């Protein structure tokens, strides 16, 4: 198209010396014999009537290009900044994850230790319960034997039971008192026996 062609030529002409830049356009050149000068006449070519519009469009395109370059540069700078922030964020989160992983490992170790201690105490508690059960059974047997001995004593003494069935301590005291009485009787009998034996020997 003509506008594209003129735009290209105008772009090239802006960076060239004036005579050379003018040579990029088809012009009518006339010679002034008296002055020996050249006259660039473009008025006869209708294509150059679009030149102001082309120049204006070119300037608009240049301004748009510069604006786009600034936007691209700003976007690039913003992208670099965001990439740096992202890198810092990822690094911080990695450190945080490492911290929580270490903390989790410590908690897991403490949990394993607590579970080990729990198993140990469970075993000890089971042992205590079994021992308590055995002791309770033995205590029941002792209480029953003490009650039976108490009844034997009161029957022997022809007394009525006056101590409660569950008062093992008092029952045992009565039995102990009776055994002391029996022991004193036995000692007296043995003393009489030795005296009788000694009398017979004489």
């Amino acid at each position: 198209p003509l506008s594209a062609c003129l735009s290209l030529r105008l772009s090239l002409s802006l960076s060239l010396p004036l005579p050379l830049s003018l040579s990029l356009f088809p012009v009518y050149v006339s010679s002034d014999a008296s002055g020996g000068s050249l006259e660039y006449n473009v008025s006869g070519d209708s294509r150059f009537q679009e030149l102001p519009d082309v120049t204006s469009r070119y300037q608009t395109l240049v301004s748009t290009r510069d604006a786009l370059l600034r936007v691209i540069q700003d976007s690039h700078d913003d992208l670099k900044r965001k990439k740096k922030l992202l890198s810092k964020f990822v690094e911080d989160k990695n450190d945080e994850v490492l911290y929580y992983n270490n903390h989790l490992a410590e908690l897991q170790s403490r949990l394993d230790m607590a579970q080990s201690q729990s198993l140990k105490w469970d075993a000890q508690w089971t042992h205590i319960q079994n021992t308590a059960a055995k002791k309770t059974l033995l205590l029941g047997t002792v209480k029953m034997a003490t009650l039976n001995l108490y009844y034997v004593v009161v029957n022997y003494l022809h007394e009525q039971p006056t101590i409660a069935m569950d008062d093992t301590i008092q029952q045992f005291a009565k039995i102990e008192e009776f055994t002391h009485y029996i022991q004193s009787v036995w000692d007296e009998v043995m003393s009489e026996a030795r005296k009788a034996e000694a009398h017979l020997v004489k």
Side-chain angles (χ1 to χ4, degrees):
L2 177 58
S3 60
C5 179
L6 290 177
S7 178
L8 176 60
R9 293 184 178 187
L10 180 58
S11 176
L12 292 174
S13 69
L14 292 176
S15 61
L16 296 176
L18 180 60
L20 183 59
S21 64
L22 290 176
S23 66
L24 294 175
F25 298 93
V27 296
Y28 297 97
V29 181
S30 62
S31 175
D32 184 359
S34 61
S37 61
L38 295 178
E39 179 184 358
Y40 295 90
N41 185 5
V42 296
S43 62
D45 195 333
S46 61
R47 291 175 298 176
F48 284 88
Q49 295 176 0
E50 301 179 6
L51 185 57
D53 295 336
V54 172
T55 302
S56 176
R57 178 170 178 77
Y58 171 76
Q59 292 175 348
T60 301
L61 290 175
V62 169
S63 299
T64 303
R65 182 202 62 182
D66 292 342
L68 289 175
L69 288 176
R70 286 193 296 271
V71 170
I72 292 173
Q73 184 61 40
D74 292 342
S75 299
H76 180 69
D77 294 341
D78 186 60
L79 179 61
K80 288 176 63 177
R81 182 179 62 84
K82 289 182 178 179
K83 286 177 65 177
K84 185 178 295 185
L85 290 176
L86 177 61
S87 177
K88 182 66 169 57
F89 175 80
V90 171
E91 182 179 356
D92 292 342
K93 290 303 176 183
N94 285 337
D95 292 340
E96 188 175 349
V97 168
L98 180 61
Y99 167 77
Y100 282 115
N101 283 339
N102 292 337
H103 187 57
L104 181 61
E106 180 182 354
L107 291 177
Q108 184 63 47
S109 177
R110 292 172 60 182
L111 176 61
D112 293 340
M113 184 179 298
Q115 288 178 339
S116 176
Q117 291 292 329
S118 176
L119 292 175
K120 177 182 177 181
W121 285 110
D122 284 344
Q124 189 167 356
W125 174 245
T126 301
H127 174 71
I128 291 173
Q129 287 180 318
N130 293 336
T131 303
K134 293 178 181 179
K135 297 296 183 182
T136 301
L137 181 61
L138 179 60
L139 179 61
T141 303
V142 170
K143 291 179 70 173
M144 184 61 66
T146 303
L147 180 62
N148 290 336
L149 285 174
Y150 170 71
Y151 283 131
V152 169
V153 169
V154 295
N155 288 333
Y156 181 82
L157 296 175
H158 304 287
E159 298 177 356
Q160 293 295 324
T162 58
I163 302 175
M165 294 181 61
D166 58 348
D167 194 350
T168 305
I169 301 299
Q170 291 300 321
Q171 294 170 8
F172 188 80
K174 184 66 175 178
I175 294 169
E176 189 175 21
E177 179 183 351
F178 178 74
T179 56
H180 286 301
Y181 169 73
I182 294 297
Q183 184 66 43
S184 64
V185 171
W186 175 257
D187 291 341
E188 185 178 353
V189 169
M190 292 300 296
S191 177
E192 292 296 331
R194 283 194 293 272
K195 288 179 181 180
E197 185 179 358
H199 182 72
L200 291 175
V201 171
K202 291 181 180 180

